[in-house]
Amino acid sequence: MCRCPSVNKRDESVLDSVLHQGTHAPPEPPKPSATRFDSVALVLQGGGALGAYQAGVYERLLEAEVEPTWVSGISIGAINSAIIAGNPREHRIERLREFWELVSTAGDGVVGDQWAPVALVDPLRVWLNQLAASRVLVTGVPGFFEPRLPPPYLAMAGAGATSYYDTAPLRATLERLVDFDRINARETRLSIGAVNVRTGNFAYFDNATDHIRPEHVMASGALPPGFDAVEIDGERYWDGGMVSNTPLDWVLSSRSGLDTLIFQVDLWSARGELPNDLASVATRMKEIQYSSRTRSATDAFRRTEKLRTAFNELLAQMPPELAASPQARLLAEASDPALYNIVTLVYRSPTYEGQFKDFEFSRRTMNEHWQAGYADAAKTVAHGEIFELPQAENNPALYDFLTAPARPQPTQPST
């Protein structure tokens, strides 16, 4: 697991003079337009076929001149993040569209083109979505994964016996759509979460300290038993969603020193209806399992920020010899004077999307997910308060305009 170097933008502070005497801090990222923040972080959750929602959100953010300086993702969120960080701004939407149209062709010919002009009632959509998901189980997804031959239950131990699908097509897709040299040039910060199979520990691969390759992205989305673990530097990794399905904690714990606007784009809603049959039980289980725990994470972070603020106030009053003591330096290294707004967007599934929604890759459904993300982002960026720095006593400020009527003050997100 890597930890990234901190950057303190407040040169005039005592904290900066204590920590950075004789050192050279990394250059600050370009200040994003349309905001008063120094950095904009786009945090993308895992969720398979639902990930087109994130592409729609990103498209609308770009139109609003909100340019992320840091993208962080897990599973399908890692793929979207790599495409964003690995392309120049003018080609990002084009590359995202190319990826999602490639992987969504699995449903065409069965539940795709011939139904596209038809307004379908929910019972028919349930049947068509299940049919599309069933086809994915049998044939895989173009440019993403394909069934193993022979299947794992007929394979020798260690030779394709640990997963149902081969993700070699995804490597070829990533190499075609993502410029990894651009990622490693650090024009945009990229963080990807995975799980070490041997130790069970969560790991982040971050271009601030790591040289990112296609296998890092593939590892983040290697959900067993569908996909095999991916080897990186002698260790094997599975999907980061097995431990945490959002990189929010990583972004908050980075202590960059930069005032940061965070857009957390989730694909699973923690809030939902009470199940009334086994199918809805399975759906609700997935939603709870993979939803983000934003409230618990941000509550803990807010408590920590209060302690950091109190220490910074004391530090400013300390004589230089006390501020330079080992104890003060230790506390200073844990301090972060930055301010944060956390804006949450959560995809809300229609009633006809059931337990297979994360691998229902039909073209029609993909377009619906993309359009939903675009519309939700449009509602969100219409609230100008998200672009204003919060007061220190309300740091981090939380906004969610999709689960409750918008209010002039920040609202607690539902997750």
Side-chain angles (χ1 to χ4, degrees):
M1 181 181 295
C2 66
R3 285 286 173 186
C4 304
S6 62
V7 182
N8 199 317
K9 70 183 181 67
R10 293 172 171 80
D11 295 335
E12 74 280 6
S13 70
V14 177
L15 174 62
D16 187 73
S17 65
V18 171
L19 291 181
H20 295 298
Q21 288 179 351
T23 66
H24 298 281
E28 298 179 7
K31 190 165 186 175
S33 57
T35 82
R36 296 184 61 186
F37 289 85
D38 302 300
S39 178
V40 173
L42 184 62
V43 178
L44 304 181
Q45 192 188 62
L50 303 175
Y53 176 86
Q54 297 170 341
V57 169
Y58 178 72
E59 181 179 23
R60 186 63 185 90
L61 291 180
L62 272 192
E63 291 180 359
E65 297 297 322
V66 180
E67 178 65 35
T69 57
W70 184 357
V71 287
S72 183
I74 289 175
S75 197
I76 197 67
I79 295 175
N80 283 332
S81 294
I83 294 173
I84 292 170
N87 283 283
R89 171 178 174 154
E90 62 270 20
H91 295 310
R92 290 173 176 175
I93 300 303
E94 175 188 347
R95 293 290 180 266
L96 284 168
R97 177 64 69 175
E98 187 174 349
F99 172 78
W100 283 103
E101 289 188 351
L102 171 64
V103 299
S104 67
T105 55
D108 292 351
V110 175
V111 297
D113 293 340
Q114 69 271 40
W115 293 100
V118 181
L120 304 174
V121 295
D122 283 2
L124 183 55
R125 282 303 301 272
V126 170
W127 179 79
L128 291 174
N129 284 25
Q130 290 181 357
L131 186 60
S134 298
R135 179 173 177 175
V136 166
L137 290 176
V138 174
T139 66
V141 173
F144 199 158
F145 59 89
E146 58 191 12
R148 286 196 179 279
L149 294 175
Y153 44 83
L154 297 178
M156 297 279 293
T162 54
S163 67
Y164 289 101
Y165 301 97
D166 182 3
T167 55
L170 177 59
R171 174 183 287 276
T173 297
L174 291 171
E175 290 175 342
R176 181 168 60 85
L177 297 181
V178 177
D179 182 350
F180 284 90
D181 288 338
R182 177 180 291 272
I183 287 176
N184 292 306
R186 303 177 184 176
E187 295 179 10
T188 301
R189 185 171 175 181
L190 173 67
S191 307
I192 295 169
V195 176
N196 187 305
V197 177
R198 184 180 57 82
T199 66
N201 292 332
F202 202 76
Y204 271 101
F205 304 107
D206 195 308
N207 68 347
T209 54
D210 299 309
H211 186 82
I212 303 298
R213 307 185 299 272
E215 50 264 38
H216 293 99
V217 183
M218 296 171 67
S220 183
L223 184 65
F227 306 147
D228 202 2
V230 176
E231 183 175 346
I232 300 174
D233 300 330
E235 293 284 355
R236 298 183 72 85
Y237 294 88
W238 271 332
D239 192 310
M242 296 180 64
V243 173
S244 174
N245 204 30
T246 179
L248 178 63
D249 285 344
W250 178 254
V251 173
L252 291 177
S253 66
S254 70
R255 298 197 299 274
S256 67
L258 301 175
D259 294 331
T260 303
L261 171 60
I262 300 173
F263 289 93
Q264 176 170 316
V265 187
D266 289 352
L267 304 177
W268 302 94
S269 173
R271 179 179 296 174
E273 299 297 327
L274 190 67
N276 55 17
D277 56 29
L278 287 178
S280 58
V281 166
T283 302
R284 193 74 193 106
M285 285 175 60
K286 272 190 176 182
E287 290 172 342
I288 294 173
Q289 179 181 359
Y290 292 119
S291 63
S292 299
R293 300 296 182 264
T294 304
R295 179 173 295 179
S296 60
T298 52
D299 284 351
F301 184 71
R302 180 172 285 167
R303 289 192 295 269
T304 302
E305 284 301 295
K306 287 183 178 179
L307 295 175
R308 289 170 172 168
T309 299
F311 172 74
N312 287 333
E313 292 173 352
L314 289 175
L315 184 64
Q317 303 175 39
M318 289 182 185
E321 61 274 13
L322 182 57
S325 67
Q327 295 86 353
R329 290 175 63 89
L330 179 64
L331 291 173
E333 289 172 359
S335 297
D336 183 2
L339 300 173
Y340 297 85
N341 278 358
I342 302 175
V343 183
T344 303
L345 297 91
V346 184
Y347 175 65
R348 260 62 184 192
S349 299
T351 56
Y352 56 76
E353 286 192 329
Q355 60 180 306
F356 309 116
K357 58 187 174 182
D358 51 332
F359 57 94
E360 199 279 271
F361 281 88
S362 70
R363 178 64 57 80
R364 179 185 186 123
T365 301
M366 182 278 290
N367 284 326
E368 289 174 347
H369 291 157
W370 188 301
Q371 292 163 8
Y374 185 95
D376 284 352
K379 294 176 185 176
T380 299
V381 298
H383 295 273
E385 59 265 42
I386 67 175
F387 302 114
E388 300 297 324
L389 295 172
Q391 298 297 316
E393 61 272 16
N394 193 42
N395 187 38
L398 311 180
Y399 294 91
D400 181 355
F401 300 105
L402 304 178
T403 60
R407 301 175 184 175
Q409 298 298 321
T411 61
Q412 292 286 348
S414 64
T415 54

